[in-house]
Amino acid sequence: RIDALPGDAVVVGDNVDTDIRMGKSAGCLTALVLTGASSDAISIPARWQPDTVLADVGLLPDWLATVRG
């Protein structure tokens, strides 16, 4: 267990139905990575839209720098 609020966490995953859905349900920022189970973000239901879609996880630090300042 860690001492963090949901808004302090980012859920990163390649599956909208599990990773992104869980992150959104918990109140976390979410990042969908298109290198695994999901290959596009076109058919994602509006309520499960990730906060960002990344071509690969290596782009995560740059995105975090923009949202965290």
Side-chain angles (χ1 to χ4, degrees), residues 8 26 34 39 55 63:
D8 295 333
L34 298 180
S39 60
W63 176 72

Side-chain angles (χ1 to χ4, degrees), residues 11-25 30-34 36-41 43-50:
V11 175
V12 180
D14 65 354
N15 189 310
V16 173
D17 294 327
T18 56
D19 306 323
I20 303 305
R21 187 174 178 175
M22 183 271 305
K24 287 294 189 181
S25 295
T30 56
L32 177 66
V33 181
L34 298 180
S38 296
S39 60
D40 67 64
S43 61
I44 300 172
R47 66 191 267 192
W48 304 125
Q49 283 291 320

